[in-house]
Each structure stands twice: as C-alpha cells, then as structure tokens.
Amino acid sequence: MTTTAIKPSVDFLMDAPLQQLVDELHVTLDESSITDPGFTGYAYVTRDEVVVSLPPNRSELEHDCMARYLIGTAFRVDGMPELPAPWQITDMTADVNRAHSDQAAEVVSQAREGGVA
C-alpha cells in the first residue's frame, strides 16, 4: 500500500466522515495495547504506510478527535488548530532518525572491523 502524495486540507481533515478520511488517505487505524490514561495514541509513518493507533475504551469524541489530529500530523497538514490542554503531540521523528542513524553507523563500523558476518 502506498500513501497518497496529496496533502489533505484542514477542512477535509475536520469535516469528512472519519471512515472516508481513513479510506481516501489509505491510513490504517488500529487499537493500541497501551491503556495508560495519559496516552492518547500515535501515528507511525513510513514511506509505504501511515498507521494511527489509539487506546481502547475512550469516548467516541476523543477517538474521533485524536484520530483526525494524528492523521493531520502524519500528513503535516498546514493550519491545524492547536489541541486543547491537557492533550499534546510529541514528535519523536528526530529521536527515531537519530537512533536509526546510530544503529546504521554501528553496523558499518562492525563491518569495517570484520565483526559482522
């Protein structure tokens, strides 16, 4: 599955039925096993897919709002409104990229030293 290259508008993100939004943007919406009350969900983005995972047993309103917000964040939709307190989104892209870079550097180093079979 390949994600669409078209960035949705804020109006489409906020007004389209959630299932239509998920279908048209080829997003996988699933349930997280994380049930911590402070956890609101996450979006995992690769070159080939966008997965939005939300905690179980939340109100329909919270599920809908967080799904839309995480989809908007994943597609970097311009003009999205701020989330009301106490919700916040933490972008861990730099941390993940750094970890991948560090891991790749270690593999290259081991290969140069003859440590990787």
Side-chain angles (χ1 to χ4, degrees):
M1 178 187 313
T2 302
T3 58
T4 181
I6 299 172
K7 185 184 293 193
S9 69
V10 172
D11 289 341
F12 180 65
L13 181 68
M14 298 299 171
D15 295 336
L18 183 57
Q19 190 59 54
Q20 178 185 355
L21 184 66
V22 166
D23 291 345
E24 288 189 20
L25 296 177
H26 307 287
V27 171
T28 300
L29 191 59
D30 73 1
E31 187 174 280
S32 174
S33 61
I34 302 169
T35 58
D36 183 284
F39 176 71
T40 56
Y42 65 86
Y44 179 80
V45 181
T46 70
R47 182 175 51 206
D48 299 323
E49 68 180 335
V50 174
V51 176
V52 172
S53 186
L54 301 165
N57 303 321
R58 300 295 167 90
S59 71
E60 186 176 338
L61 177 62
E62 182 178 346
H63 181 272
D64 185 84
C65 290
M66 289 311 301
R68 290 172 190 281
Y69 202 85
L70 289 168
I71 291 168
T73 301
F75 281 89
R76 300 188 186 276
V77 173
D78 297 322
M80 286 190 350
E82 294 290 322
L83 279 174
W87 292 284
Q88 65 180 4
I89 298 293
T90 303
D91 185 349
M92 297 178 62
T93 305
D95 294 338
V96 171
N97 288 343
R98 189 178 318 101
H100 286 176
S101 178
D102 291 349
Q103 184 180 25
E106 179 64 26
V107 168
V108 169
S109 175
Q110 287 177 359
R112 287 183 178 150
E113 296 170 6
V116 175

